[in-house]
Amino acid sequence: MKDNNCIFCKIANGEIPSATLYDDEKVRVILDISPASKGHALILPKEHYANLYEISDEMAMHVIKTAKKMAIKMKDELGLEGLNVLQNNGEAAGQTVFHYHMHLVPRYKEDKVNMKWENGELGEELKEELVRNLSFESGI
Ligand code: AMP
Ligand code: ZN
């Protein structure tokens, strides 16, 4: 399942060269070309999934296991003080490349990364509505 017009399909499968940190039969981890901080990396599945809604359970599991290994390597080698793991789905969420990828963004005391938002309030009515509509039975 590859998309011929997708740059991350080409990078993940080695058709376009990249600064690769890890590579196996399912994923490739590369350095982001416009890093938010030193060591900013991306985990790319080798199969094309546009986003989290589409990714297979098996691939999702492999991605998170890769993230854990990569995170420990970064912690040991970079002298980082924190690490953000994030993944954008849809333009409104900031997704610019529509091939699922997970960001690993190492954090340092004086870095220029900004992931702040204004905190709202969870009112009683809205809380009840959300719990009613969003809760689901086990079955993962
Ligand atoms: P997102 O906004 O979540 O879709 O993230 C896309 C990320 O891919 C951005 O951080 C870009 O800097 C990065 N990116 C785009 N093209 C390349 C490329 N050819 N090689 C490495 N990273 C890239
Ligand atoms: Zn793709």
Side-chain angles (χ1 to χ4, degrees), residues 8 11 30-34 42 88 94-97 101 103:
F8 277 8
I11 291 174
I30 64 167
L31 289 176
D32 195 294
I33 206 166
S34 307
L42 303 173
N88 301 323
Q95 187 174 12
T96 58
V97 180
H101 52 282
H103 293 260

Side-chain angles (χ1 to χ4, degrees), residues 54-123:
E54 290 186 3
I55 194 169
S56 69
D57 289 354
E58 193 195 353
M59 184 62 83
M61 242 156 32
H62 196 78
V63 167
I64 198 68
K65 283 165 86 174
T66 306
K68 181 183 171 182
K69 291 241 161 131
M70 201 64 239
I72 291 167
K73 183 76 174 166
M74 285 172 159
K75 183 166 80 62
D76 291 347
E77 299 295 333
L78 288 175
L80 53 74
E81 282 146 301
L83 178 73
N84 290 116
V85 176
L86 75 143
Q87 195 270 308
N88 301 323
N89 298 284
E91 228 172 300
Q95 187 174 12
T96 58
V97 180
F98 295 89
H99 172 123
Y100 175 100
H101 52 282
M102 182 176 278
H103 293 260
L104 300 176
V105 183
R107 300 300 303 273
Y108 309 92
K109 281 244 159 63
E110 302 299 327
D111 69 32
K112 300 272 179 2
V113 183
N114 186 356
M115 295 196 194
K116 294 227 181 311
W117 56 82
E118 227 173 88
N119 289 108
E121 231 175 90
L122 181 60

Side-chain angles (χ1 to χ4, degrees), residues 3 6 8-9 48 99:
D3 178 336
C6 172
F8 277 8
C9 276
H48 183 86
H99 172 123

